[in-house]
Amino acid sequence: MVSTATKIGNFDFDNCLMNAAGVYCMTREELAEIDASLAGSFVTKTGTLEARDGNPEPRYADTLLGSINSMGLPNKGFDYYLDYVTELQNQPNSKNHFLSLVGLSPAETHTILKQVEASDYTGLVELNLSCPNVPGKPQIAYDFETTTEILTEVFSYYTKPLGVKLPPYFDIVHFDQAAAVFNQFPLTFVNCVNSIGNGLVIDDETVLIRPKNGFGGIGGDYIKPTALANVHAFYQRLNPSIQIIGTGGVKSGRDAFEHILCGASMVQIGTALHQEGPAIFERITNELKAIMSEKGYEKIEDFRGKLNYIEA
Ligand code: SIN
C-alpha cells in the first residue's frame, strides 16, 4: 500500500502535499477549501500585526512558464489566522496546520510571536523571512546578521514549534553561511523557497504588474531547478532535526517526487494551485503514488534525500 503520509516535528500529516503561503489562503473560506481537499495541511497567508490591503492591482499575472506577483502582503491581520487555526486545532480529527507570520519590523515580529506564544495555539508556525514585495523592506533572510539577531531574540521567549520560509540562495558560499545561521537555532523546519524576488516579465512593451514598475516574485516552472538546489543544499547542511519543506515549480507528481528525492519532508504548491484550484492535490497525489508504486517505494522515507550523483 503506497502512502504519501509524512511528519514535521511531532505533527503527522496524511499527505505530504499542501498549499504554499500566498495561494488559496487569504480567507477562512479559501483555507476551508484546502482543508476539505486531499492536501495534507494548509498554511495561512502571511499575517502581519495589522491587516493590510497590499500593493495596487494588477499585482499577479500568470505567464507561460509560471507567474509573477507583487502582492505586498495583503492579509487580514495575524489574529484572524491565529483564531482560525486555534479553532480548528480544538476540533476532533482536525488536520495539523501552519500559521504564517511576519512583522514589518523586527519589533513587530516579536510582538506577534509573543502573542502566539501566549495563545492556546500549539501548532506549527512559519516565520516568513523572504517576502520580496513590500516596497522599502528587503528580504530579511538575505541579511544573515539581522536574521541571526531576530532568531536569537525569538528563541529567548518562543517555545512552540517554529520554522522559517526562505528566499532562494544562489551561491554555494551563501548556502554554507545560511545553514551555519539556521543550525544555531532549534528550528523545526526551513521552507525552501519563496519566489525568486524581483523578476520582470514584459508583454509587448509593457510590464505585466503595476507595483514597483513591474518587478515581482517569480514562481512556477522557472524556479524548479533553483528550488530543488536549495532543498538539497540545506538537506546536506542542516542538523537532521531541522526538516525541509520543498516549494517551487511543483505542478506534477514527478515534480513532488524530485523535491522529496532532494530531501523535502513536505511539498508545497503555489502557482499551479492558483492556476488549477484545490483539485490539483488529488491529481498530483495520484501521480506521485504511481511513480512510487512503479519504483517499489511504499512511503516517502524510502527515497527522501536519496538523490544519486554521477561518480567519476
Ligand atoms: C506577497 O504578499 O507579496 C507575497 C508573499 C511572499 O512572497 O512572501
Side-chain angles (χ1 to χ4, degrees):
M1 183 67 179
V2 173
S3 165
T4 57
T6 192
K7 210 170 162 135
I8 297 286
N10 294 325
F11 298 86
D12 289 308
F13 301 90
D14 286 346
N15 191 358
C16 63
L17 303 176
M18 61 181 290
N19 70 305
V23 183
Y24 256 92
C25 58
M26 182 73 82
T27 62
R28 282 175 170 243
E29 290 71 26
E30 285 183 344
L31 290 163
E33 270 196 73
I34 300 296
D35 217 31
S37 78
L38 220 68
S41 182
F42 67 62
V43 57
T44 67
K45 177 67 186 167
T46 300
T48 50
L49 191 55
E50 307 293 343
R52 288 170 55 81
D53 290 336
N55 293 338
E57 296 184 356
R59 57 191 185 183
Y60 176 97
D62 286 316
T63 70
L64 269 183
L65 294 174
S67 64
I68 182 165
N69 90 83
S70 182
M71 303 298 288
L73 290 180
N75 75 93
K76 293 184 173 293
F78 84 95
D79 46 351
Y80 173 94
Y81 305 104
L82 176 60
D83 288 350
Y84 188 47
V85 290
T86 306
E87 193 180 302
L88 290 180
Q89 162 188 279
N90 296 330
Q91 288 178 5
N93 304 321
S94 171
K95 295 175 183 176
N96 292 307
H97 301 108
F98 295 73
L99 175 64
S100 174
L101 303 168
V102 78
L104 294 184
S105 64
E108 271 191 24
T109 295
H110 298 309
T111 302
I112 294 169
L113 282 174
K114 283 179 181 169
Q115 289 189 39
V116 179
E117 174 72 11
S119 76
D120 290 335
Y121 180 63
T122 52
L124 291 152
V125 166
E126 177 173 288
L127 179 61
N128 184 353
L129 297 180
S130 50
C131 178
N133 303 328
V134 180
K137 305 278 179 194
Q139 290 164 87
I140 300 164
Y142 283 145
D143 178 341
F144 295 132
E145 206 178 309
T146 301
T147 298
T148 305
E149 277 168 21
I150 290 173
L151 292 178
T152 301
E153 176 79 19
V154 164
F155 283 109
S156 72
Y157 60 82
Y158 197 78
T159 61
K160 297 176 182 180
L162 182 83
V164 285
K165 177 82 174 270
L166 300 179
Y169 298 98
F170 301 95
D171 194 288
I172 300 296
V173 169
H174 294 159
F175 291 138
D176 293 342
Q177 291 173 341
V181 169
F182 300 126
N183 276 334
Q184 294 171 48
F185 300 101
L187 289 164
T188 303
F189 66 90
V190 300
N191 185 342
C192 310
V193 294
N194 206 323
S195 55
I196 294 182
N198 297 302
L200 196 53
V201 183
I202 299 168
D203 179 31
D204 190 15
E205 298 186 13
T206 306
V207 298
L208 279 193
I209 57 172
R210 180 170 162 199
K212 294 170 67 180
N213 288 339
F215 285 67
I218 302 296
D221 294 358
Y222 305 103
I223 79 166
K224 191 179 83 169
T226 296
L228 293 177
N230 276 260
V231 168
H232 198 57
F234 283 107
Y235 180 75
Q236 291 170 312
R237 287 166 176 77
L238 291 181
N239 301 331
S241 58
I242 306 178
Q243 287 176 270
I244 297 163
I245 298 177
T247 306
V250 177
K251 65 174 188 189
S252 69
R254 174 69 205 182
D255 300 325
F257 179 83
E258 290 178 12
H259 269 269
I260 297 165
L261 199 63
C262 286
S265 294
M266 194 131 200
V267 178
Q268 295 188 341
I269 306 175
T271 298
L273 169 61
H274 184 271
Q275 295 170 346
E276 200 172 320
I280 196 171
F281 292 110
E282 185 170 353
R283 176 179 66 75
I284 296 189
T285 303
N286 289 339
E287 290 173 6
L288 175 59
K289 281 185 171 175
I291 294 167
M292 290 170 64
S293 178
E294 197 181 309
K295 290 177 175 286
Y297 298 138
E298 290 182 351
K299 50 190 189 310
I300 70 169
E301 288 310 311
D302 292 344
F303 63 99
R304 190 173 64 80
K306 296 187 180 156
L307 180 64
N308 292 316
Y309 307 128
I310 301 171
E311 304 296 345

